[in-house]
């Protein structure tokens, strides 16, 4: 599984992003970290409930990002998460850094976009047959309800 976004996608949102750290000509390592965090969030917020609804035990059949289909809809999500991580990275040793505001801004954008993606749903090849059957398209996150005791 590759990353969900590229440096070119970042530059489209923040043209100077490749100049933020002279030690790095690319942000591949942050793309990888962002992809891992997105996959973790998807597993927690989407996969487990959908797996149980299909009679699949997520403890014995863990989330496999390679089974996600139509991942281009995760590009904005990945851009926001990667930019959040980049601004956190460049601000790490500077107190009262202006990049903190950028980090917070992209963290909020990520949160909003994640909710939108979850509401829209994800395509997942549950039966691993390399085709997307009707029942595998746009599975939405299950709404969680709280009960007062």
């Amino acid at each position: 599984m590759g990353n969900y976004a590229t440096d070119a996608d970042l530059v489209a949102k923040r043209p100077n992003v490749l100049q933020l750290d002279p030690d790095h000509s690319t942000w591949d390592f942050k793309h990888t970290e962002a992809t891992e965090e997105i996959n973790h969030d998807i597993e927690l917020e989407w996969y487990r409930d959908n797996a149980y609804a299909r009679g699949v035990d997520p403890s014995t059949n863990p989330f496999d990002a390679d089974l996600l289909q139509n991942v281009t809809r995760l590009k904005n999500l990945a851009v926001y998460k990667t930019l959040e991580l980049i601004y956190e990275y460049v601000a790490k040793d500077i107190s009262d850094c202006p990049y903190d505001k950028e980090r917070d801004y992209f963290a909020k954008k990520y949160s909003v976009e994640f909710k939108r993606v979850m509401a829209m749903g994800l395509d997942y090849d549950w039966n691993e047959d390399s085709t997307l059957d009707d029942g595998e398209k746009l599975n939405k996150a299950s709404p969680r309800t709280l009960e007062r005791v």
Side-chain angles (χ1 to χ4, degrees):
M1 160 110 258
N3 294 320
Y4 300 128
T6 65
D7 281 349
D9 299 322
L10 299 179
V11 169
K13 295 279 184 196
R14 284 291 190 262
N16 70 335
V17 71
L18 296 179
Q19 287 80 44
L20 289 175
D21 185 3
D23 293 335
H24 296 95
S25 61
T26 179
W27 288 109
D28 284 344
F29 70 109
K30 288 298 172 187
H31 287 293
T32 300
E33 184 179 349
T35 297
E36 290 169 358
E37 288 192 26
I38 290 166
N39 288 342
H40 180 72
D41 290 346
I42 289 171
E43 181 176 11
L44 292 176
E45 296 296 325
W46 178 84
Y47 178 76
R48 291 178 183 180
D49 289 340
N50 276 278
Y52 283 128
R54 292 173 171 278
V56 174
D57 182 354
S59 65
T60 57
N61 295 296
F63 172 71
D64 182 349
D66 289 329
L67 297 177
L68 279 173
Q69 305 293 307
N70 302 316
V71 295
T72 55
R73 71 175 63 128
L74 300 178
K75 182 171 74 170
N76 284 336
L77 192 65
V79 167
Y80 299 145
K81 178 53 81 175
T82 306
L83 287 168
E84 173 192 348
L85 295 170
I86 288 169
Y87 284 113
E88 179 179 61
Y89 177 81
V90 296
K92 68 181 175 211
D93 296 327
I94 305 170
S95 61
D96 297 324
C97 180
Y99 292 135
D100 289 339
K101 288 181 182 177
E102 294 293 319
R103 179 203 59 222
D104 294 346
Y105 171 78
F106 284 109
K108 287 178 188 168
K109 294 285 281 184
Y110 174 81
S111 179
V112 168
E113 181 69 5
F114 188 81
K115 288 176 187 170
R116 188 188 73 78
V117 168
M118 291 297 99
M120 185 173 52
L122 296 171
D123 297 338
Y124 192 79
D125 186 13
W126 289 96
N127 61 8
E128 301 181 41
D129 67 354
S130 300
T131 61
L132 195 59
D133 305 321
D134 285 340
E136 296 175 325
K137 294 179 183 173
L138 293 176
N139 295 281
K140 296 180 181 178
S142 300
R144 297 176 188 247
T145 56
L146 298 176
E147 284 187 33
R148 296 198 186 266
V149 187

